[in-house]
């Protein structure tokens, strides 16, 4: 009889326990190229609320977190109706990153898990200089290829053409550290063409020099 009473009380206590009405987004931040976790990443969660059926104009900061040594994080915030959710990730030496979360994927009290890729910030320095027996017919075709297309702030990959004499130019541009860059450049003087294919490895957090003297 005593056991039955204990079981009944246990059931009543836990059946009356209020369900957690918070949303929880947790996960891990990983260096995409090196396949390693990234610690000390700052995460800020923003949301656009829906109030009385109307989408609000401004995004509101909902939660913040810092990744631990193993790259993990947890963001907990109050249950509301959202039209959009966005995590903004920043860390010195890395490209800023954003991750959109579908609000319909969240359930109060349940953990929503997501892995987020970040990329180390490195630089490519290119020098192009005409140093030979220069001619007005000299032409250099330059084309950079990167093994990714999701970086709006990285080096441009459009073909460039340098004509004539006096060519002497240098530029820096950001690339993903831990990845490769592929350069096709062709020198032509109107009588023959000399193509080259260069492959560069870009270490994380470094600047790689690529000189082209023709």
């Amino acid at each position: 009889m005593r056991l039955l009473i204990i079981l009944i009380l246990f059931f009543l206590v836990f059946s009356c326990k209020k369900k957690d009405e918070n949303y929880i987004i947790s996960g891990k931040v990983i260096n995409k190229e090196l396949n390693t976790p990234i610690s000390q990443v700052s995460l800020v969660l923003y949301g656009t609320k829906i109030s009385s059926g109307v989408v609000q104009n401004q995004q509101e900061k909902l939660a913040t977190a810092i990744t631990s040594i193993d790259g993990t994080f947890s963001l907990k915030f109050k249950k509301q109706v959202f039209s959009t959710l966005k995590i903004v990730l920043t860390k010195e030496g890395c490209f800023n990153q954003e991750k959109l979360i579908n609000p319909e994927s969240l359930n109060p009290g349940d953990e929503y898990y997501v892995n987020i890729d970040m990329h180390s910030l490195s630089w490519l320095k290119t020098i192009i200089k005409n140093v030979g027996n220069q001619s007005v017919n000299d032409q250099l075709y330059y084309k950079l290829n990167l093994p990714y297309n999701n970086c709006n702030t990285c080096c441009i990959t459009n073909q460039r053409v340098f004509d004539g004499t006096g060519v002497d130019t240098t530029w820096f541009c950001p690339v993903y550290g831990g990845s490769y860059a592929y350069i096709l450049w062709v020198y032509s003087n109107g009588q023959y063409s000399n193509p080259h294919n260069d492959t560069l490895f870009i270490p994380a957090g470094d600047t790689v020099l690529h000189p082209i003297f023709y």
Side-chain angles (χ1 to χ4, degrees):
M1 185 66 180
R2 180 177 298 177
L3 178 60
L4 179 60
I5 294 174
I6 293 174
L7 291 174
I8 292 173
L9 290 174
F10 182 86
F11 174 78
L12 290 175
V13 168
F14 282 90
S15 64
C16 295
K17 186 179 179 181
K18 187 177 179 180
K19 184 180 179 182
D20 189 349
E21 291 298 313
N22 290 314
Y23 288 139
I24 304 170
I25 299 175
S26 63
K28 192 172 188 178
V29 180
I30 299 173
N31 185 302
K32 173 70 172 179
E33 284 67 41
L34 304 179
N35 194 29
T36 56
I38 308 178
S39 63
Q40 296 300 306
V41 177
S42 174
L43 300 94
V44 181
L45 175 67
Y46 296 93
T48 304
K49 295 180 182 178
I50 299 177
S51 180
S52 301
V54 178
V55 178
Q56 303 302 298
N57 293 326
Q58 286 189 325
Q59 289 187 331
E60 181 179 327
K61 184 188 291 188
L62 304 174
T64 62
I66 302 291
T67 57
S68 60
I69 193 170
D70 61 354
T72 58
F73 67 90
S74 182
L75 296 160
K76 190 173 183 179
F77 55 106
K78 185 179 178 181
K79 175 190 173 183
Q80 296 179 74
V81 181
F82 299 99
S83 64
T84 63
L85 289 170
K86 177 177 68 176
I87 304 174
V88 177
L89 301 90
T90 56
K91 180 179 178 175
E92 185 176 357
C94 290
F95 284 85
N96 293 344
Q97 183 67 289
E98 294 185 357
K99 180 68 175 182
L100 297 178
I101 304 294
N102 183 358
E104 296 182 359
S105 301
L106 306 181
N107 294 308
D110 294 337
E111 188 176 42
Y112 178 81
Y113 193 88
V114 59
N115 283 328
I116 304 177
D117 295 329
M118 286 191 78
H119 309 275
S120 298
L121 175 61
S122 297
W123 298 86
L124 176 62
K125 178 181 180 181
T126 304
I127 301 174
I128 294 181
K129 190 172 185 178
N130 191 337
V131 297
N133 297 320
Q134 299 185 29
S135 164
V136 294
N137 294 320
D138 284 351
Q139 279 192 324
L140 184 86
Y141 298 87
Y142 176 92
K143 180 71 169 66
L144 170 67
N145 291 297
L146 299 173
Y148 44 85
N149 57 7
N150 59 341
C151 181
N152 295 327
T153 59
C154 288
C155 300
I156 63 172
T157 55
N158 296 333
Q159 179 175 277
R160 305 185 187 194
V161 181
F162 302 90
D163 292 313
T165 62
V167 174
D168 186 357
T169 184
T170 301
W171 69 87
F172 287 86
C173 52
V175 288
Y176 289 169
S179 67
Y180 286 87
Y182 306 95
I183 297 96
L184 168 65
W185 60 278
V186 182
Y187 166 66
S188 172
N189 68 356
Q191 296 180 346
Y192 71 92
S193 295
N194 189 9
H196 300 264
N197 287 282
D198 296 340
T199 299
L200 305 177
F201 177 71
I202 314 293
D206 202 355
T207 297
V208 173
L209 174 64
H210 184 235
I212 298 176
F213 298 143
Y214 64 100

